[in-house]
């Protein structure tokens, strides 16, 4: 069989473009048309067993790769984004790349045949090629240079002229907005105060997430303490912060009562201030979630299930799991709430503030259906607002409904997208009784979002975080809730800067996915992730081995924690709380006075 | 003299405190000679003293506001403010003598004042005083109320501390508690208000070192209405003592332990009930943790406490001789005025050295309502 493709071919709008009227904002987009075919699954399912299928399978794969294309009117033609170049001198004809490509960008005709128009630049083929024979390049632009009608914008017009639908995309905002983290620099000790060597001196990263009172009422505490028998003789009593568990050495009532007398709400104990943000089962694969759950349990921190429910496989890690209550209310029942360490109410997401989500019925497999508690094959729709929350007082009712359902033993988080009025909204949320406020910046990741919304709605997390921290302090309620920053925390230094601006802890999502192999090709919504992350296809899902995956994430957290400790040491402090809100130790480069005022930092040199 | 409001000024320093636990009053020469011994630890850009029990009986019940002003106009503006908020019982210039090594001084004046009305609740009056003093200091440019306690006073200026002591004629005062400070600021036009001690009501703080957690502490304190108008890290120590001890009722020892909290692994190893309390204290008072290299001596009504940072990055020595308790940066300073003390010891990081007036001398538990053993940070 010979494949000849001399003319430009336009991508069929199955994944990237939804027809008018479809709700595109689901946790994954509509499935690629041809990958649902059992024959295809058979053909690509052999990638682990030696890597080579039989020749008929390959021929079929190649044929199928070509058939979906149809000519479109010349006006709506676009060129491919990438060019796949196979060095025939290096290629050993092992065909592994062809089997591994889930995008039909590589075919076989006694040699590897690239279909450039299908390539998403995910680099799976490059990574698996044993001889580095494959190179992926940006498609050389053929248009006249134009700084107004950029290639992206002009191509968007062409695609929409063809499809009549919204543009969809996965992963966080990739547009060149300022990244304020990269305009902040960190102080260090010289002479007048000694820096501290984290290898020699204790260096504390422990953080407690939850509401704290303004003061410890010592009198109330001591009188309560006198009334209780205090078992001072046994010391290994488990973690008292989980004292809701009546099996904890038979002393639960004591602790709970005492803690209540101290005025301390339920707390999550984080050994490092990094948690994994909500990524639901459906948006990511079960293996991704398994990797996250085990990693946070090993590292003494927490992960959030997202709105897709909590799969029974994660029950062993329930103590380290935050469950989410979103507008679709999937999986929410008393067991779900009580099983978790904390409950997060999702109001908004940084990547798509103000809009909901849609997991198409085709993706609601039996397993996902039972986890979400919805019928198999039915569309899972999360409305844009919660239809029982039209005001802040409605939110308060939901917060307290959850607290009642969990006997006031679980912290309740409220997650909002960073929008213009975020400080006042966060203040309202704290006053409504939330134990933690999660602020998700506009560069935050997503499994699927309308491209234009992802790229143009919301504000950066750095400014939102600084404004929220300031506002809560002005109102004297900063102690009452934990502030968690989210939305593109990319490195340990982003964590340090976020905490110095006022966050108690951070959520990372994309960084954890990158640890598992993500190459940021932004095709999460198409459900064909070649790295097995944002897909439910069994043959792809198994590319992530949870046994290896948790170690990758744990390694990342361990490395970041080490760097944070090193940074605390050079700042001359040995505890994370001395960094929190310590904006004096940050300086700005290249920012306007207004930006520095909002961030509460001075320019470098002053 | 110019107030440097933009910059925070770190520095090294010398500190010393001397107290008679029986309440015996002695003049300022002892503490001046002690601080003179540590001349090398200062650089002439600031020195000062706090003295407790110095005023005559008829003025003891009133708040002694020590005020420094750059110009007569600013002095009058401040006086007008004081008159507006308080009842002035007595006022006079602070007596000084010309000193060859002390430069031009600001206008130095003291007012003995009472709150304008009676307050139903005991803390009401103190809250009022703190609020008005903060307000005046923030509002009146070029003038500063730098001491506001009862029967105590702060004397400070630009110069070496021993010279400042002579300038203020401290040999003519008799106090049961003296603290002193010699300053070695590392970037400053020294100004009189920037010298130590810093005071608020009966609190006074002298401080050697740097609070690396300054901004975290400052922003925490601002939630409780404190305004850090001096922009020096020492100020936060002062306000944290005021917040935790006077307003939140934690005993002095526990206040010290909260400021230099035990490490989490130490807390984990405590008996469960103690661990529970400490966990709560660290969670609630996270913003009060003092971090960085420092040693401080805090004077209060009826006592003083010396405290060094958690990992002991700055020196602090204690000594005892008869009724006297000494705390100083260097043992040499103590031996300069008391050649053979009965005991001398180096402080441990985070473990306070506390001296208190004996009950027979009119001492009592300062400000804290609870006479209960609380677990100390190990």
């Amino acid at each position: 069989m010979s494949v000849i493709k001399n003319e430009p071919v336009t991508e069929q709008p199955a994944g990237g473009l939804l027809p008018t009227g479809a709700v595109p904002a689901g946790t994954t987009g509509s499935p690629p048309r041809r990958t649902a075919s059992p024959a295809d699954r058979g053909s690509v399912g052999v990638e682990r067993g030696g890597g080579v299928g039989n020749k008929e399978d390959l021929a079929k794969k190649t044929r199928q790769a070509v058939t979906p294309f149809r000519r479109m009117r010349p006006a709506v033609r676009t060129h491919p984004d990438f060019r796949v170049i196979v060095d025939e001198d290096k290629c050993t004809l092992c065909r592994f790349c062809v089997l591994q490509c889930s995008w039909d960008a590589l075919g076989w005709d006694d040699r590897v045949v690239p279909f450039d128009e299908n390539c998403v630049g995910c680099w799976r083929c490059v990574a698996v090629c044993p001889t580095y024979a494959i190179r992926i390049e940006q498609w050389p632009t053929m248009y006249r240079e134009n700084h107004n009608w950029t290639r992206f914008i002009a191509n968007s017009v062409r695609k929409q002229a063809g499809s009549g639908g919204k543009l969809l995309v996965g992963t966080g905002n990739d547009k060149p907005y300022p990244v304020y983290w990269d305009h902040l620099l960190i102080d260090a000790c010289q002479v007048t105060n000694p820096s501290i060597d984290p290898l020699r001196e204790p260096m504390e990263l422990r953080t407690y997430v939850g509401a704290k009172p303004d003061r410890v009422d010592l009198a109330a505490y001591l009188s309560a303490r006198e009334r209780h028998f205090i078992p001072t003789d046994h010391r290994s009593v488990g973690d008292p912060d989980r004292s809701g568990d009546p099996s904890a050495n038979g002393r639960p009532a004591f602790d709970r009562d005492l803690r209540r007398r101290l005025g301390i709400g339920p707390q999550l104990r984080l050994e490092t201030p990094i948690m994994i943000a909500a990524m639901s089962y459906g948006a990511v694969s079960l293996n991704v979630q398994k990797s996250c759950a085990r990693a946070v349990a090993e590292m003494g921190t927490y992960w959030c299930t997202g709105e897709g429910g909590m799969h029974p496989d994660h029950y062993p890690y329930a103590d380290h799991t935050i469950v989410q209550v979103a507008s679709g209310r999937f999986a929410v029942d008393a067991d779900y709430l009580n099983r978790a360490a904390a409950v997060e109410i999702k109001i908004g997401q940084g990547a798509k503030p103000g809009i909901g989500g849609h997991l198409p019925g085709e993706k609601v497999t039996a397993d996902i259906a039972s986890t979400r508690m919805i019928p198999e094959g039915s569309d899972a729709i999360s409305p844009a607002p919660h239809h029982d929350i039209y005001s802040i007082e409605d939110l308060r009712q939901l917060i307290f409904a959850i607290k009642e359902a969990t006997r006031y033993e679980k912290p309740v988080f409220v997650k909002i997208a960073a929008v213009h009025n975020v400080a006042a909204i966060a203040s309202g949320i704290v006053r409504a009784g939330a134990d933690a406020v999660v602020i998700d910046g506009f560069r935050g990741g997503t499994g699927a979002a309308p491209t234009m919304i992802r790229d143009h709605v919301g504000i950066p997390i750095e400014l939102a975080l600084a404004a929220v921290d300031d506002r809560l302090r002005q109102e004297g309620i900063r102690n009452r809730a934990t502030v968690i920053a989210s939305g593109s925390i990319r490195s340990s230094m982003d964590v340090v800067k976020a905490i110095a601006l006022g966050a108690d802890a951070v959520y990372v999502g994309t960084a954890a996915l990158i640890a598992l192999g993500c190459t940021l090709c932004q095709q999460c919504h198409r459900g064909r992730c070649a790295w097995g992350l944002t897909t439910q296809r069994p043959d792809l899902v198994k590319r992530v081995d949870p046994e290896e995956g948790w170690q990758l994430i744990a390694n990342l957290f361990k490395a970041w924690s080490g760097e944070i400790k090193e940074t605390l040491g050079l700042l001359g402090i040995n505890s994370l709380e001395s960094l929190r809100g310590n904006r004096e130790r940050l300086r700005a480069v290249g920012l306007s006075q207004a930006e520095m005022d909002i961030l509460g930092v001075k320019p470098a040199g002053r | 003299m110019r107030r440097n409001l933009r910059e925070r000024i770190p520095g090294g320093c010398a500190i010393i405190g001397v107290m008679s636990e029986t309440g015996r009053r002695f003049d300022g020469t002892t503490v001046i000679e002690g601080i003179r011994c540590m001349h090398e630890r200062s650089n002439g850009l600031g020195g000062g003293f706090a003295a407790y029990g110095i005023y005559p009986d008829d003025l003891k019940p009133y708040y002694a506001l020590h005020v420094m002003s750059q110009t007569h106009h600013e002095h009058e503006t401040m006086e007008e403010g004081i008159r507006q908020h308080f009842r002035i019982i007595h006022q006079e210039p602070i007596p000084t003598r010309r000193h060859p090594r002390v430069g031009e001084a600001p206008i130095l004046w003291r007012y003995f004042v009472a709150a304008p009305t009676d307050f139903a609740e005991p803390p009401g009056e103190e809250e009022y005083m703190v609020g008005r003093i903060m307000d005046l200091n923030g509002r009146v440019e070029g003038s500063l109320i730098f001491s506001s306690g009862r029967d105590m006073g702060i004397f400070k200026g630009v110069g070496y501390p021993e010279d400042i002591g002579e300038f203020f004629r401290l040999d003519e005062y008799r106090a049961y508690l003296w603290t002193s400070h010699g300053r070695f600021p590392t970037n400053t036009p020294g100004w009189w208000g920037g010298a130590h001690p810093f005071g608020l009501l009966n609190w006074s703080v002298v401080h050697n070192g740097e609070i690396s957690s300054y901004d975290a502490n400052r922003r925490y304190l601002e939630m409780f209405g404190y305004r850090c108008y001096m922009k020096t890290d020492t100020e936060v120590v002062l306000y944290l003592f005021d917040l935790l001890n006077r307003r939140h009722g934690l005993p002095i020892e526990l206040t010290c332990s909260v400021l230099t909290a035990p490490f989490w692994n130490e807390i984990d190893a405590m008996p469960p009930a103690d661990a529970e309390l400490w966990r709560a204290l660290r969670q609630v008072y996270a913003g009060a943790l003092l971090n960085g290299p420092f040693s401080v001596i805090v004077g209060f009504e009826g006592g003083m406490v010396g405290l060094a940072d958690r990992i002991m990055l700055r020196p602090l020595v204690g000594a005892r001789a008869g009724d006297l308790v000494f705390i100083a940066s260097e043992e040499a300073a103590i031996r300069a005025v008391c050649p053979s003390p009965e005991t001398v010891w180096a402080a441990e990081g985070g473990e306070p050295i506390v001296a208190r007036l004996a009950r027979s001398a009119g001492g009592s538990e300062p400000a804290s309502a609870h006479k209960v053993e609380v677990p100390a940070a190990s």
Side-chain angles (χ1 to χ4, degrees):
Chain A
M1 170 184 169
S2 170
V3 180
I4 302 163
K5 304 197 308 78
N6 289 330
E7 294 175 24
V9 184
T10 305
E11 184 182 347
Q12 205 276 341
L17 307 166
L18 282 192
T20 312
V23 183
T27 37
T28 54
S30 65
R33 198 160 295 174
R34 50 171 296 285
T35 51
S37 111
D40 178 59
R41 287 193 188 178
S43 76
V44 292
V46 296
E47 85 261 9
R48 277 180 174 256
V52 183
N54 64 46
K55 195 159 181 181
E56 288 82 66
D57 280 349
L58 287 168
K60 192 159 60 185
K61 181 175 166 66
T62 301
R63 214 160 38 243
Q64 286 169 344
V66 188
T67 46
F69 302 119
R70 60 189 166 85
R71 297 289 183 85
M72 300 188 93
R73 283 162 295 176
V76 294
R77 280 183 194 160
T78 61
H79 61 72
D81 289 332
F82 298 99
R83 185 162 65 164
V84 186
I85 298 160
V86 181
D87 185 335
E88 301 215 343
D89 291 340
K90 287 185 179 172
C91 180
T92 60
L93 304 179
C94 75
R95 286 169 263 185
F96 198 30
C97 55
V98 179
L99 293 164
Q100 287 274 304
C101 182
S102 60
W103 304 102
D104 305 320
L106 296 174
W108 183 254
D109 182 23
D110 292 330
R111 63 186 174 85
V112 178
V113 181
F115 301 126
D116 292 337
E117 63 279 5
N118 287 350
C119 179
V120 299
C122 80
W123 283 60
R124 183 74 187 180
C125 56
V126 177
V128 299
C129 177
T131 58
Y132 300 104
I134 303 177
R135 202 165 80 235
I136 297 185
E137 291 182 347
Q138 293 278 355
W139 189 267
T141 181
M142 59 194 116
Y143 302 124
R144 189 180 298 278
E145 190 177 25
N146 192 321
H147 291 289
N148 182 34
W149 290 98
T150 60
R151 188 164 115 171
F152 167 77
I153 290 175
N155 276 350
S156 297
V157 170
R158 292 185 188 98
K159 285 180 186 168
Q160 291 186 294
S163 71
K166 283 182 255 185
L167 299 169
L168 269 190
V169 73
T171 315
N173 197 327
D174 63 354
K175 297 297 173 286
Y177 291 101
V179 177
Y180 289 94
W181 303 131
D182 297 339
H183 290 267
L184 294 171
L185 296 173
I186 298 165
D187 190 21
C189 294
Q190 299 288 299
V191 185
T192 58
N193 51 353
S195 41
I196 303 171
D197 183 351
L199 299 178
R200 293 167 55 110
E201 304 283 350
M203 200 57 75
E204 301 186 310
L205 297 189
R206 190 186 292 184
T207 302
Y208 283 89
V209 169
K212 284 103 181 163
D214 285 340
R215 56 176 291 189
V216 170
D217 190 341
L218 199 61
Y221 165 78
L222 290 171
S223 71
R225 185 168 158 170
E226 276 164 18
R227 285 205 305 277
H228 282 93
F229 167 66
I230 301 166
T232 48
D233 52 334
H234 66 273
R235 295 160 68 109
S236 58
V237 286
D239 184 355
D241 296 315
R242 310 266 322 129
S243 58
D245 176 11
S247 68
N249 290 9
R251 34 164 230 115
F254 162 71
D255 263 349
R256 210 180 313 147
D257 185 48
L258 209 49
R259 203 177 54 207
R260 225 163 261 173
R261 299 230 168 233
L262 286 163
I264 312 282
Q267 305 284 322
L268 301 186
R269 185 173 103 189
L270 276 59
E271 294 299 348
T272 187
I274 309 163
M275 300 188 285
I276 299 182
M279 292 183 284
S280 70
Y281 181 31
V284 295
S285 69
L286 194 62
N287 282 355
V288 169
Q289 285 203 334
K290 283 182 183 172
S291 304
C292 292
R294 172 103 187 257
V296 296
E298 299 282 341
M299 292 304 295
T301 175
Y302 295 81
W303 74 293
C304 181
T305 59
E307 65 172 327
M310 185 169 169
H311 193 275
D313 285 1
H314 306 318
Y315 289 173
Y317 307 107
D319 280 358
H320 289 272
T321 303
I322 301 160
V323 296
Q324 200 178 56
V325 174
S327 61
R329 298 292 154 86
F330 302 117
V332 177
D333 65 7
D335 291 339
Y336 176 69
L337 300 175
N338 279 294
R339 191 176 287 123
V343 181
E344 177 172 288
I345 300 172
K346 177 192 174 182
I347 300 294
Q349 183 178 340
K352 42 178 176 174
I355 66 171
H358 175 197
L359 187 65
E362 299 92 312
K363 297 202 168 176
V364 180
T365 62
D367 204 31
I368 289 178
S370 70
T371 306
R372 292 198 179 220
M373 299 186 191
I374 56 174
E376 190 175 341
S378 66
D379 283 8
I381 293 175
S382 299
H386 289 244
H387 282 303
D388 54 357
I389 303 179
Y390 282 10
S391 67
I392 190 78
E393 55 270 28
D394 291 345
L395 174 66
R396 182 178 171 83
Q397 290 201 352
L398 179 60
I399 290 171
F400 279 90
I402 290 171
K403 288 189 174 189
E404 289 286 338
T406 54
R407 302 190 302 280
Y408 293 83
E409 282 164 9
K410 316 281 182 190
V412 176
F413 295 19
V414 175
K415 175 177 176 174
I416 53 169
V419 292
H420 300 184
N421 203 22
V422 66
I425 297 164
S427 158
I429 289 169
V430 174
R431 291 180 188 280
D435 298 273
V437 186
V438 183
I439 315 289
D440 195 16
F442 85 140
R443 291 192 307 269
T446 176
T451 313
M452 292 300 155
I453 287 166
R454 183 198 74 168
D455 290 352
H456 297 278
V457 181
I459 64 172
I461 181 59
E462 303 91 326
L463 302 177
L465 169 63
V468 166
D469 183 62
D470 273 346
R471 180 63 170 263
L472 297 182
R473 284 171 192 272
Q474 278 161 19
E475 297 188 14
I477 54 175
R478 179 63 185 83
N479 246 19
R480 276 206 228 161
T482 299
V483 174
I484 298 164
S486 173
S488 197
I489 303 289
R490 305 158 302 163
S491 71
S492 58
M493 292 303 105
D494 288 359
V495 180
V496 167
K497 292 167 187 176
I499 289 171
L501 284 180
D504 290 273
V506 302
Y507 261 150
V508 301
T510 305
L513 292 183
I514 292 174
L516 294 176
C518 170
T519 55
L520 301 168
C521 71
Q522 308 193 22
Q523 306 301 310
C524 322
H525 58 295
R526 291 169 67 183
R528 300 164 73 172
C529 178
W531 294 85
L533 303 167
T534 57
T535 177
Q536 306 304 327
R537 254 172 61 182
D539 60 300
L540 299 177
V541 166
K542 69 182 182 183
R543 294 181 183 184
V544 173
D545 176 4
E547 280 302 310
E548 187 199 8
W550 78 262
Q551 293 178 55
L552 295 170
I553 297 174
N555 273 344
L556 178 74
F557 282 18
K558 198 171 132 201
W560 284 17
S561 301
E563 288 171 342
I564 295 168
K565 287 181 178 180
E566 189 93 53
T567 310
L568 290 183
L570 65 84
L571 285 165
I573 54 183
N574 52 19
S575 179
L576 198 69
E577 56 244 54
S578 296
L579 177 66
R580 188 164 309 127
N582 197 341
R583 300 182 187 177
E584 172 65 25
R585 311 304 298 275
L586 295 177
R587 288 292 186 273
V589 283
L591 295 182
S592 72
Q593 189 58 51
E595 288 165 322
M596 288 190 287
D597 287 347
I598 293 164
L599 293 169
V601 298
K602 297 172 191 163
R606 184 172 291 164
Chain B
M1 182 179 110
R2 183 165 178 77
R3 219 191 272 194
N4 189 350
L5 287 176
R6 297 256 172 252
E7 309 288 333
R8 193 171 59 89
I9 303 160
C13 297
I15 55 176
I16 185 169
V18 190
M19 177 176 168
S20 162
E21 287 196 312
T22 59
R24 180 169 62 84
R25 280 156 220 271
F26 49 98
D27 68 39
T29 49
T30 310
V31 72
I32 290 176
E33 291 313 307
I35 198 82
R36 190 194 300 280
C37 174
M38 295 187 284
H39 185 87
E40 283 295 307
R41 297 183 75 91
S42 351
N43 69 353
L45 287 179
F49 298 82
Y52 289 75
I54 52 173
Y55 285 123
D57 285 348
D58 56 331
L59 293 176
K60 274 190 202 306
Y62 303 109
Y63 297 93
L65 305 185
H66 293 196
V67 177
M68 60 172 74
S69 310
Q70 291 181 76
T71 65
H72 282 284
H73 173 71
E74 286 154 351
H75 172 73
E76 279 159 22
T77 312
M78 180 59 95
E79 182 169 313
E80 201 176 303
I82 290 173
R83 201 178 298 282
Q84 194 184 336
H85 293 311
F86 311 116
R87 213 152 38 90
I88 299 178
I89 306 297
H90 176 69
Q91 58 168 299
E92 62 186 16
I94 298 175
T96 56
R97 63 165 71 98
R98 285 187 179 279
H99 196 284
R101 289 182 296 278
V102 175
E104 194 192 342
I107 299 163
L108 295 160
W109 210 269
R110 63 188 169 203
Y111 301 85
F112 293 86
V113 305
T117 52
D118 288 339
F119 288 85
E121 301 277 326
E125 183 175 309
E126 288 169 338
E127 291 297 316
Y128 176 83
M129 292 300 297
V130 170
R132 296 286 76 75
I133 291 165
M134 293 250 154
D135 175 54
L136 286 171
N137 278 339
R139 196 152 52 84
V140 183
E141 198 56 38
S143 183
L144 181 72
I145 300 171
F146 61 96
S147 179
S148 53
R150 281 188 279 208
D151 196 18
M152 63 82 69
I154 290 169
F155 305 89
K156 64 183 184 180
V158 174
Y160 281 98
E162 57 272 23
D163 300 335
I164 293 293
E166 287 161 6
F167 171 81
F168 277 108
R169 303 162 66 161
L170 296 186
D171 48 312
E172 296 171 9
Y173 293 86
R174 291 161 59 78
Y176 65 84
L177 162 60
W178 291 91
T179 64
S180 179
H181 182 265
R183 188 148 180 249
F184 199 141
T186 41
N187 71 356
T188 175
W191 67 289
W192 283 59
H196 296 210
F198 288 97
L200 181 71
L201 299 185
N202 281 352
W203 298 106
S204 69
V205 177
V206 289
H207 166 214
N208 165 22
E210 178 166 332
I211 308 295
S212 304
S213 56
Y214 166 75
D215 215 31
N217 305 129
R218 175 185 70 83
R219 299 180 76 233
Y220 173 71
L221 283 163
E222 285 184 349
M223 280 204 294
F224 296 93
Y226 294 93
R227 291 289 164 263
C228 295
Y229 50 86
M230 310 285 290
K231 307 285 179 192
T232 88
D233 43 8
T234 307
E235 209 178 5
V236 300
V237 181
L238 181 70
Y239 302 153
L240 286 171
F241 268 91
D242 188 58
L243 176 70
L244 267 56
N245 177 268
R246 184 178 66 79
R247 286 173 65 179
H248 288 184
L250 303 185
I252 284 285
E253 288 84 350
L254 192 60
T255 297
C256 291
S257 299
V258 166
L259 298 182
T260 54
F263 288 95
W264 285 116
N265 56 10
E266 294 171 336
I267 292 174
D268 291 344
M270 288 177 185
D274 293 352
E276 191 71 43
L277 174 62
W278 268 108
R279 205 170 280 122
L281 288 169
R282 275 202 74 171
Q283 287 168 359
V284 172
Y285 293 114
L289 180 70
L290 290 175
N291 223 315
F294 70 86
S295 54
V296 294
I297 301 172
V298 178
F300 50 90
E301 192 177 355
M304 70 169 173
V305 60
L307 181 67
D309 65 80
R310 306 207 283 178
I311 53 175
M312 203 63 211
L313 294 171
R314 284 292 151 99
L316 198 65
V317 178
R320 190 176 275 280
D323 63 326
L324 292 180
V325 177
F326 296 87
I327 306 173
S329 301
E330 294 180 11
E331 187 178 336
I334 298 172
R335 290 197 185 270
V337 290
C338 176
S340 45
E342 289 144 24
T343 51
V344 181
W345 70 97
E348 297 280 327
E351 281 195 31
I353 301 174
V354 184
R356 277 213 176 83
L357 278 187
R359 280 198 186 280
S360 58
S364 64
E365 282 293 316
S368 90
H370 319 291
K371 188 73 193 97
V372 193
E373 278 297 304
V374 289
S378 61

